[in-house]
Amino acid sequence: MTDLLPPASGPQPAPAPSAEERADDAAVERAIELLRSVDLGLPDADAGRRELAGLLRSVAGAPRRADEAPDRRPRAAPDLADPATLPGIIEDWSRAAGVPATAFREDRRAFLRGDHLGFELSPRLLVRAAVRQLRKAGALPEEHRISLVWTGDQPSATLPVRIPDWTAVALPTRPVALCAQYVHHELGHVMELAWRPPDLPLAARWQAPDTVVEWVAMVVEWLSRCDAWMAALGLEPECARQVGEHCRYEDRYTRAFAALVLHCAEIRPEHLERELKEIAGELIDPGHLAEEVRRADYWRTVAQGHARADATVDVLRTAHGARWWERPESWQRLRADVTAQWAAAREAGER
């Protein structure tokens, strides 16, 4: 594990949580214990890393309290893409990458990561460069500490811990082009957590609206598709262009795939495979799609997050120009919007 320590002296100790809070947040308490064991280099540090990585993934999806009923209200998803464009996206992407289109069907995950590209992008160096630039632009508070847990090739996740001004992030170490996307996405989660009311109970942090959480993450994720931003992080211009191109194709694919999942979620299960074949031919494995259809709420949140982030970036570019991300005013505006949402939510809860 690595800590990204801000120039400030570090976080101040928080008041001891109540017994009820500790019972509610047992998973988070265990995460803190593991973080400290890794920090101290204890003999079981490697086992601690593995357990912590699993714990981060298990709690990053905002665990629900046992007495809380799931939200079954129907929620609309914006029409961001046409699922029928998926085959064309993969063909264009393959051509741009210089590999046959069959590479996607042979190993979808390797294709999406960019394993076939002729360069490596170190997530360790990228996260340090991005944090430095985000602090410089005023997007990430100087006093906020980030603990990085490296997880091999596991999915990324962000965890709000009880210690004030501190967030833990699990990131895979595979040095591929797509790490630009997930590094920026997780840093967006860190920023949103850093902007939350400082007196907000930890249990309430798990209850944050997904649309707000993903909105901020996807605004920051947009930077991974911006060649100029990637060059500002220190990448050579051609490498910055290749990374940006890969992330732009991945973004187009994700939006179309989300549209496919949400479309098929309305299809009777026995008709799903036939519908899939009519839309995407043999491109998508029916078993994979069926699995994702069971997570339709997640994909609906993704679609809503993209729509809101697109609108936000459009406003910021209009107000502050193509390099809006250099301007502290851009991040101040986004932070003010997020803070207003939290204030409104708290006021509604107090009525």
Side-chain angles (χ1 to χ4, degrees):
M1 187 192 74
T2 303
D3 277 348
L4 288 181
L5 294 171
S9 59
Q12 299 299 313
S18 67
E20 182 179 356
E21 286 177 323
R22 297 186 75 87
D24 287 343
D25 305 322
V28 176
E29 292 299 325
R30 177 58 178 157
I32 294 172
E33 180 182 341
L34 289 167
L35 283 166
R36 287 174 173 158
S37 73
V38 174
D39 265 338
L40 294 172
L42 298 180
D44 62 347
D46 287 339
R49 285 190 185 93
R50 289 191 294 273
E51 182 182 350
L52 179 58
L55 184 60
L56 287 170
R57 291 193 298 277
S58 72
V59 300
R64 193 181 304 279
R65 292 178 182 275
D67 59 352
E68 182 184 352
D71 183 3
R72 298 298 186 191
R73 293 173 296 174
R75 287 171 286 165
D79 184 14
L80 291 179
D82 179 356
T85 62
L86 274 169
I89 291 171
I90 296 302
E91 287 178 10
D92 293 345
W93 194 356
S94 301
R95 191 178 304 111
V99 297
T102 53
F104 177 87
R105 290 190 292 271
E106 290 168 358
D107 193 333
R108 173 178 52 86
R109 290 182 179 178
F111 185 92
L112 296 176
R113 287 191 303 253
D115 287 3
H116 53 279
L117 298 178
F119 67 90
E120 294 186 344
L121 182 63
S122 167
R124 297 175 186 268
L125 297 179
L126 179 62
V127 73
R128 289 186 175 276
V131 166
R132 185 167 56 249
Q133 288 293 329
L134 290 170
R135 290 202 197 279
K136 181 180 178 181
L140 185 62
E142 291 284 355
E143 67 276 8
H144 198 84
R145 176 178 175 179
I146 307 170
S147 287
L148 300 173
V149 182
W150 300 105
T151 63
D153 196 25
Q154 300 299 321
S156 58
T158 300
L159 174 72
V161 299
R162 186 184 302 284
I163 299 174
D165 295 323
W166 188 22
T167 301
V169 181
L171 290 169
T173 55
R174 185 185 289 267
V176 292
L178 193 61
C179 80
Q181 184 249 52
Y182 57 71
V183 161
H184 283 87
H185 188 94
E186 298 305 329
L187 289 178
H189 285 315
V190 172
M191 283 169 43
E192 190 269 331
L193 284 164
W195 293 349
R196 292 185 189 181
D199 60 338
L200 192 70
L202 183 58
R205 293 175 183 269
W206 294 121
Q207 310 303 321
D210 289 341
T211 50
V212 175
V213 171
E214 292 304 318
W215 161 41
V216 179
M218 288 176 181
V219 170
V220 182
E221 181 185 312
W222 180 93
L223 296 174
S224 67
R225 306 192 292 273
C226 175
D227 298 359
W229 166 267
M230 296 304 298
L233 297 187
L235 274 67
E236 293 294 331
E238 178 58 19
C239 183
R241 185 198 66 77
Q242 287 182 285
V243 170
E245 179 181 63
H246 187 83
C247 290
R248 287 189 291 273
Y249 273 115
E250 195 278 341
D251 178 66
R252 289 176 57 198
Y253 167 84
T254 297
R255 292 172 189 247
F257 185 73
L260 175 67
V261 171
L262 295 175
H263 170 75
C264 289
E266 306 300 322
I267 302 297
R268 292 173 62 90
E270 62 268 27
H271 298 156
L272 187 147
E273 189 166 346
R274 184 182 65 192
E275 185 75 9
L276 171 63
K277 189 168 184 177
E278 289 180 0
I279 293 173
E282 304 295 333
L283 185 67
I284 306 295
D285 176 65
H288 171 59
L289 180 65
E291 181 180 331
E292 296 303 332
V293 163
R294 289 192 287 271
R295 301 199 305 150
D297 280 349
Y298 163 77
W299 287 105
R300 188 172 291 107
T301 298
V302 168
Q304 291 168 338
H306 274 302
R308 197 164 184 183
D310 289 348
T312 297
V313 171
D314 285 346
V315 168
L316 296 176
R317 293 177 77 173
T318 299
H320 303 297
R323 297 173 73 92
W324 60 268
W325 33 267
E326 289 181 335
R327 303 282 295 275
E329 301 94 319
S330 296
W331 301 109
Q332 290 166 6
R333 182 170 186 165
L334 179 59
R335 181 171 185 171
D337 288 346
V338 173
T339 301
Q341 297 245 351
W342 275 105
R346 297 181 82 185
E347 183 179 352
E350 292 170 359
R351 288 175 183 170

